[in-house]
Amino acid sequence: PFTSRFIAQKDEYNFHFTCEHCMYFDELRDQCLHEYPNHMHLLATYTVKNNPSHIIFCKQFELR
């Protein structure tokens, strides 16, 4: 779940989990190089303002 505890731990450990940090993300086209739908994996999705209930991890995610 996307909770205040998760946010605190994400910040404390510098945890990256969104497309923008993935080696398969094409920044020019704002999409996955595998052409997977990625709207639910973008950093903008995971803000307190958007208040997502859960975090959806991509199984292809790999840090740059």
Side-chain angles (χ1 to χ4, degrees):
F2 186 81
T3 62
S4 58
R5 181 174 179 214
F6 172 79
I7 294 169
Q9 288 179 341
K10 173 186 75 65
D11 294 342
E12 179 180 355
Y13 298 110
N14 198 27
F15 179 57
H16 298 287
F17 62 97
T18 60
C19 290
E20 292 87 346
H21 294 104
C22 181
M23 67 183 290
Y24 299 115
F25 184 64
D26 181 347
E27 293 178 18
L28 296 176
R29 297 182 330 182
D30 236 15
Q31 68 184 79
C32 179
L33 292 174
H34 296 296
E35 299 185 6
Y36 293 141
N38 69 339
H39 66 279
M40 70 290 262
H41 300 289
L42 296 172
L43 185 60
T45 303
Y46 298 102
T47 66
V48 174
K49 179 183 174 187
N50 287 340
N51 195 27
S53 60
H54 286 81
I55 302 157
I56 302 172
F57 294 101
C58 177
K59 63 183 176 180
Q60 293 292 316
F61 180 84
E62 198 166 318
L63 280 174
R64 292 183 193 195

